[in-house]
């Protein structure tokens, strides 16, 4: 099994490297096309092979695009429902344990595991062996939930989120019983490539809902903070509906996406939040 995993991982990285080369070639062709259309001199980096690029450009399909190998792990999404394994860091507090129980109710087909002394590698091995599609690990600092790791199996990606402003279900007034139907999903303001990547990772934690489902999970991006809300709705009149919050509610901030599973210390980082990015107000990452 180990040799098979290594081989599959190597094939995945090879496909990713081919995609990077194709994306770079398309970018050069696009740059050449824009220069020719505006009747400007060719950029210096294109003058050496400009003629070959021009001939290749004439043969290209105008609608050509490169498939995203990075999202190949989600190619079968919707065919089979995802199965999630969720656990905590070592020695969880009572609040983190309660938060874990509530998250298990949010995600359909989610199974809770007591961490104990299980290592990260053992967690990943169990997740793969039992046929789970994703592994979720919740972390805390001094009894306050402040971290969430979402790892897609078997080859990644793994997304790391900071959690803040976490409010549990029993702290929200007027909550109702949790229905077991699959929820509809609302993802708002995820327009950048990184935002679409984060949206792909999060939305495939949920199975496809039925049309008559009354549950709604909302992820709203505002200034790179993702507000997670969970509601149920019912008809208030012929033209209006009433929203009732189910909880929990919290804010997430993505700080790393790794092309691998959590135990792979040398896996390539697809994206990492850097200190200077926190002060770049005009550039939205998600």
């Amino acid at each position: 099994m180990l040799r098979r995993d290594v081989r599959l991982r190597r094939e995945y990285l090879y496909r990713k490297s081919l995609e990077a080369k194709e994306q770079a070639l398309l970018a050069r062709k696009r740059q050449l096309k824009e220069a020719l259309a505006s009747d400007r001199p060719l950029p210096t980096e294109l003058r050496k092979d400009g003629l070959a690029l021009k001939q290749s450009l004439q043969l290209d399909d105008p609608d050509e695009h490169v498939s995203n190998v990075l999202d190949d792990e989600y190619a079968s999404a919707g065919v089979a429902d995802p199965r999630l394994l969720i656990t905590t860091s070592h020695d969880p507090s009572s609040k983190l344990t309660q938060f874990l129980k509530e998250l298990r109710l949010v995600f359909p087909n989610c199974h809770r595991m007591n961490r104990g002394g299980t290592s990260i590698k053992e967690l990943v091995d169990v997740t793969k062996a039992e046929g789970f599609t994703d592994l979720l690990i919740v972390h805390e600092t001094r009894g306050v939930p402040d971290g969430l790791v979402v790892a897609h199996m078997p080859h990644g990606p793994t997304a790391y989120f900071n959690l803040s402003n976490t409010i549990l279900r029993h702290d929200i007034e007027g909550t109702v019983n949790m229905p077991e139907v699959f929820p509809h999903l609302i993802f708002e303001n995820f327009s950048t490539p990184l935002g679409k990547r984060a949206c792909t990772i999060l939305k495939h934690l949920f199975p496809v809902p039925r049309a008559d489902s009354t549950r709604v999970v909302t992820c709203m991006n505002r200034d790179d903070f993702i507000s997670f809300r969970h509601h149920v709705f019912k008809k208030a009149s012929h033209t209006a509906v009433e929203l009732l919050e189910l909880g929990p509610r919290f804010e997430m901030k993505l700080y790393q996406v790794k092309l691998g599973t959590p135990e792979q210390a040398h896996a390539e980082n697809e994206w990492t939040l850097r200190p200077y990015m926190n002060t770049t107000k005009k550039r939205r990452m998600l």
Side-chain angles (χ1 to χ4, degrees):
M1 180 62 72
L2 179 60
R3 294 177 62 184
R4 178 176 178 271
D5 290 342
V6 171
R7 176 175 58 82
L8 292 175
R9 175 68 180 168
R10 189 182 298 116
E11 291 176 356
Y12 171 70
L13 293 176
Y14 176 69
R15 295 197 310 270
K16 184 177 70 68
S17 66
L18 291 181
E19 177 207 354
K21 294 179 181 178
E22 292 181 10
Q23 292 282 12
L25 179 59
L26 281 182
R28 291 170 62 85
K29 290 181 180 179
R30 191 179 303 112
Q31 192 176 6
L32 174 64
K33 187 176 180 179
E34 292 174 354
L36 294 175
S38 58
D39 198 20
R40 294 179 309 192
L42 289 180
T44 306
E45 62 271 17
L46 297 181
R47 292 177 183 175
K48 183 177 181 181
D49 53 353
L51 181 60
L53 284 176
K54 184 178 179 181
Q55 293 174 349
S56 177
L57 190 63
Q58 293 173 347
L59 300 175
D60 284 346
D61 184 352
D63 297 328
E64 180 184 6
H65 66 279
V66 178
S67 61
N68 194 351
V69 173
L70 298 178
D71 289 337
D72 275 357
E73 290 293 334
Y74 300 100
S76 61
V79 177
D81 291 341
R83 296 182 65 237
L84 279 58
L85 180 65
I86 187 169
T87 187
T88 64
S89 54
H90 298 290
D91 299 323
S93 64
S94 58
K95 185 172 182 179
L96 185 65
T97 302
Q98 180 63 33
F99 182 55
L100 182 76
K101 293 178 180 179
E102 295 184 3
L103 282 182
R104 188 188 67 82
L105 296 176
V106 170
F107 298 103
N109 300 330
C110 186
H111 301 265
R112 180 169 61 93
M113 175 180 174
N114 294 328
R115 177 72 179 271
T118 308
S119 66
I120 290 291
K121 186 179 185 308
E122 292 171 337
L123 276 177
V124 173
D125 291 342
V126 169
T127 306
K128 293 180 180 179
E130 296 299 325
F132 291 102
T133 60
D134 296 270
L135 172 65
L136 279 67
I137 307 174
V138 188
H139 295 276
E140 66 178 343
T141 299
R142 297 183 179 88
V144 179
D146 66 348
L148 175 65
V149 180
V150 180
H152 188 65
M153 298 295 149
H155 305 305
T158 301
Y160 297 82
F161 297 91
N162 283 326
L163 301 184
S164 59
N165 302 328
T166 303
I167 301 179
L168 304 184
R169 271 175 51 84
H170 67 268
D171 294 328
I172 301 175
E173 296 183 0
T175 55
V176 297
N177 294 330
M178 180 81 71
E180 297 183 1
V181 295
F182 296 166
H184 294 287
L185 304 179
I186 299 176
F187 284 85
E188 186 69 27
N189 206 20
F190 291 83
S191 56
T192 67
L194 179 61
K196 294 176 181 178
R197 181 65 160 158
C199 179
T200 299
I201 293 172
L202 293 175
K203 75 179 181 181
H204 287 121
L205 298 176
F206 298 89
V208 179
R210 295 179 57 178
D212 58 353
S213 174
T214 58
R215 278 178 67 193
V216 179
V217 168
T218 304
C219 291
M220 166 70 77
N221 174 39
R222 184 181 294 112
D223 296 330
D224 295 332
F225 283 89
I226 303 172
S227 299
F228 182 92
R229 300 293 184 268
H230 186 202
H231 295 86
V232 64
F233 64 88
K234 63 179 182 179
K235 281 188 176 182
S237 66
H238 293 290
T239 58
V241 296
E242 180 182 0
L243 279 179
L244 300 175
E245 187 169 6
L246 295 173
R249 77 168 77 129
F250 49 88
E251 315 295 325
M252 298 188 294
K253 184 175 180 63
L254 180 68
Y255 67 88
Q256 187 179 22
V257 179
K258 187 166 69 172
L259 293 175
T261 48
E263 88 285 4
Q264 296 174 345
H266 301 290
E268 180 184 352
N269 287 328
E270 180 181 347
W271 180 84
T272 303
L273 180 66
R274 302 298 183 185
Y276 67 86
M277 296 179 182
N278 292 324
T279 58
T280 311
K281 300 299 183 181
K282 294 182 179 180
R283 181 174 60 190
R284 190 168 62 85
M285 291 172 287
L286 296 181

